[in-house]
Amino acid sequence: MSAGDWLDTFPGVRGNEPLARHSQFGVGGPAQWFITTRDAGVLAEVLRRCADSGVSVTMLGAGSNTLISDEGIDGLVIRHNDRSLRVVDERTIELGAGCMMPRVALDCATRGLAGVEFGIGVPGTLGASVYGNAGAFGTEMADVLVDCTSLDPHGEPLTLTAAECDFGYRRSRFKEDLSGNVVVSARVRVHADDPGRVRERTEAIQAQRKASQPYGIRSLGSVFKNPPDDRAGRLIEAAGLKGRRSGGAQISPKHANFIVNVDHATAADVLTLVRVAHDSVQEQFGVDLEREIIVLGSETSGEHRD
Ligand SMILES: Cc1cc2nc3c(=O)[nH]c(=O)nc-3n(C[C@H](O)[C@H](O)[C@H](O)COP(=O)(O)OP(=O)(O)OC[C@H]3O[C@@H](n4cnc5c(N)ncnc54)[C@H](O)[C@@H]3O)c2cc1C
């Protein structure tokens, strides 16, 4: 008997599910159990039963900011896939946590709703973007969020205003005292504008992104946060690491704060490069870079394959 035996027969749950196929980066071992749902009621029930039976829960969005360990993840991995977008009024939209931010930006442009153009540069879900206060080109979730609703580990709802989320640079309370909560939806502030102008701004952000970041190749976004008054990419490049490879992973020759999956990379390959970049920048410039990417599962395994 194991604590999660009930999951073997719970509708929609898959056992031993390979997570690489659920991650944009295409890396990661299996989840002990995995479920995708669009239904907040089902999500609440699953969370409550996991809490009661002692099964650990891990949320996964699009996997565009997380490195999943090669050994996979124990317990239940949940993808909340509610992609609904509802226009509440000319100033507010309501989004399900599974909405992809680029799709939100494009849909809003078509409807002549401005304010979320930055979403075109964030290839992840709304839920994770609230969790990590994602931002691009001068705007972040904190600037546009009205409020968000989450479920606590027992499935009980909690709605917080943006101020109550205590957002900072790539952080929110969902990474801290509310780390067991799951974001299910959010209301976001917009304003009416000419659809052509909104689309132009959205396309300009997209063009800037394509020019400065690796595009059309699998990456995890920025590996490290920018330290105060500097840029992680500049420091890693100055350390001579652009293009450095470990197995199938490479520090992008285009932007040194990105690691790209060039040839069936493993999590161990990526972690080797993360450590090399961190330690080289610390040794050469005395800067202790802080990770932006999130590692799900164990970090201890894996060998260098340089
Ligand atoms: C090419 C590229 C460019 C990028 N550019 C940017 C950028 O400009 N700005 C930026 O901020 N980010 C950027 N990113 C990173 C990434 O897209 C964002 O961090 C995004 O918000 C992550 O969304 P996701 O759905 O992929 O999250 P995932 O990587 O799946 O998960 C990230 C974290 O959120 C948690 N999580 C997921 N869903 C929920 C939920 N519903 N409730 C609570 N926690 C949850 C996960 O457990 C995990 O800890 C980029 C990534 C790539 C690949």
Side-chain angles (χ1 to χ4, degrees):
M1 285 281 283
S2 105
D5 279 351
W6 61 274
L7 282 161
D8 292 330
T9 52
F10 193 91
V13 170
R14 296 203 286 271
N16 210 28
E17 173 75 2
L19 289 172
R21 66 169 68 145
H22 299 285
S23 153
Q24 277 182 17
F25 193 56
V27 168
Q32 190 174 5
W33 294 283
F34 179 82
I35 187 170
T36 300
T37 177
R38 291 161 191 252
D39 184 330
V42 171
L43 183 59
E45 183 189 346
V46 167
L47 290 172
R48 181 180 53 72
R49 290 187 67 173
C50 283
D52 290 349
S53 56
V55 173
S56 67
V57 170
T58 303
M59 290 305 296
L60 186 63
S64 68
N65 201 215
T66 49
L67 179 67
I68 300 167
S69 127
D70 296 322
E71 275 65 42
I73 300 176
D74 286 339
L76 178 67
V77 174
I78 304 177
R79 172 126 198 223
H80 185 49
N81 209 18
D82 172 6
R83 297 187 175 204
S84 59
L85 185 161
R86 190 171 73 87
V87 179
V88 180
D89 56 42
E90 271 203 342
R91 298 171 56 82
T92 320
I93 53 173
E94 186 171 284
L95 303 170
C99 284
M100 291 297 290
M101 293 302 291
R103 173 50 51 202
V104 172
L106 292 170
D107 277 4
C108 284
T110 305
R111 294 167 196 250
L113 296 171
V116 289
E117 293 89 328
F118 76 99
I120 197 77
V122 180
T125 58
L126 180 272
S129 297
V130 172
Y131 168 90
N133 189 23
F137 300 95
T139 309
E140 52 188 20
M141 284 309 303
D143 301 320
V144 298
L145 193 83
V146 177
D147 54 29
C148 68
T149 298
S150 61
L151 298 176
D152 77 8
H154 300 279
E156 296 298 324
L158 171 73
T159 298
L160 297 177
T161 62
E164 288 169 332
C165 290
D166 195 20
F167 287 118
Y169 175 39
R170 299 294 176 265
R171 54 164 283 271
S172 75
R173 285 180 64 192
F174 297 107
K175 285 189 170 181
E176 292 162 7
D177 60 312
L178 298 178
S179 67
N181 281 42
V182 173
V183 177
V184 288
S185 64
R187 293 194 306 156
V188 166
R189 195 175 307 107
V190 290
H191 60 272
D193 197 353
D194 173 64
R197 280 210 297 271
V198 185
R199 183 166 284 276
E200 240 171 60
R201 287 196 295 272
T202 308
E203 283 170 358
I205 291 174
Q206 178 74 320
Q208 249 179 292
R209 198 187 140 206
K210 280 187 183 171
S212 60
Q213 300 176 359
Y215 194 81
I217 182 164
R218 290 174 151 181
S219 82
L220 290 166
S222 298
V223 175
F224 297 99
K225 296 181 180 183
N226 287 321
D229 304 321
D230 210 336
R231 302 194 73 75
R234 189 197 73 76
L235 289 162
I236 299 165
E237 183 174 351
L241 293 173
K242 250 188 175 179
R244 170 71 72 95
R245 271 186 79 151
S246 170
Q250 182 183 36
I251 294 180
S252 167
K254 192 164 178 184
H255 189 313
N257 198 24
F258 283 67
I259 290 177
V260 288
N261 182 354
V262 283
D263 182 18
H264 303 93
T266 63
D269 296 336
V270 176
L271 286 170
T272 299
L273 290 179
V274 170
R275 289 189 192 112
V276 167
H278 174 271
D279 294 353
S280 304
V281 167
Q282 182 140 51
E283 276 160 28
Q284 295 186 42
F285 310 111
V287 178
D288 181 13
L289 289 177
E290 190 188 338
R291 282 187 202 173
E292 183 168 325
I293 58 165
I294 293 155
V295 179
L296 298 180
S298 156
E299 257 193 62
T300 49
S301 61
E303 296 295 323
H304 290 243
R305 292 202 292 143
D306 303 87

